[in-house]
């Protein structure tokens, strides 16, 4: 049981779990912002064109049973807006990560060269290969 608890502690303290927890908390806060945007701004504006707030659109089925399809449409709009914003965020992060990768590759190309004798990577300013000890001609 002690080993299990140590493994669990190591799992929880890893960076990925903490990043995921922060992402879930921020996602929850972001959900409320997008929901408010849809319910308080977009639905009333769409209501100007339709004559009523989108949340209020419904159909009576039997007696007091109603089908609130306006709320469903608002939920779809909410989902699409949230997906679009997340797409933009992920796209921006991916672009930044790819730029960083290109810069790292450029730096690596500048700082290393290949030994003509043993074909291992060595520092650009090396005068002798540390692996095969061959003298390098500049």
């Amino acid at each position: 049981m002690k080993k299990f608890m140590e493994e669990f502690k190591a799992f929880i303290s890893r960076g990925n779990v903490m990043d995921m927890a922060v992402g879930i908390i921020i996602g929850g806060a972001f959900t409320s912002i997008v929901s408010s945007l849809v319910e308080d701004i977009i639905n009333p504006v769409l209501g100007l064109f339709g004559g009523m707030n989108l949340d209020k659109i419904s159909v009576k089925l039997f007696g007091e049973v109603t089908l609130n399809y306006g709320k469903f449409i608002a939920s779809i709009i909410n989902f699409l807006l949230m997906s679009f914003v997340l797409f933009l965020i992920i796209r921006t992060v991916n672009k930044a990560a790819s730029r960083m990768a290109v810069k790292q590759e450029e730096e690596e190309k500048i700082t290393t060269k290949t030994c003509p004798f043993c074909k291992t990577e060595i520092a650009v300013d090396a005068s002798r290969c540390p692996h095969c000890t061959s003298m390098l001609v500049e």
Side-chain angles (χ1 to χ4, degrees):
M1 184 69 169
K2 186 176 180 180
K3 184 177 178 183
F4 175 78
M5 292 305 288
E6 288 175 5
E7 288 179 24
F8 181 70
K9 183 180 174 184
F11 171 75
I12 290 298
S13 64
R14 276 193 291 184
N16 295 343
V17 175
M18 295 300 188
D19 292 342
M20 183 178 67
V22 169
I24 289 171
I25 292 169
I26 291 174
F30 186 69
T31 300
S32 66
I33 291 171
V34 173
S35 296
S36 176
L37 173 70
V38 171
E39 294 169 4
D40 301 330
I41 296 174
I42 293 177
N43 285 349
V45 170
L46 291 176
L48 290 174
F49 301 110
M52 117 184 324
N53 195 342
L54 194 60
D55 283 344
K56 308 290 186 218
I57 298 174
S58 63
V59 172
K60 280 197 167 208
L61 296 177
F62 299 106
E64 294 184 21
V65 178
T66 59
L67 182 67
N68 298 323
Y69 67 92
K71 288 184 179 182
F72 179 70
I73 293 172
S75 296
I76 291 173
I77 292 170
N78 188 352
F79 171 76
L80 291 174
L81 282 174
M82 182 124 26
S83 300
F84 181 70
V85 170
L86 287 175
F87 166 74
L88 291 177
I89 290 170
I90 290 172
R91 183 175 167 224
T92 304
V93 169
N94 287 342
K95 279 187 178 181
S98 67
R99 287 181 183 160
M100 292 296 289
V102 168
K103 286 182 182 179
Q104 283 181 339
E105 288 176 6
E106 289 175 359
E107 289 175 3
E108 287 177 8
K109 289 179 184 176
I110 293 172
T111 59
T112 61
K113 65 181 178 181
T114 304
C115 174
F117 302 103
C118 66
K119 305 298 183 202
T120 58
E121 284 193 18
I122 56 175
V124 172
D125 56 348
S127 59
R128 187 178 287 266
C129 178
H131 301 285
C132 67
T133 66
S134 299
M135 192 64 125
L136 302 173
V137 179
E138 303 239 357

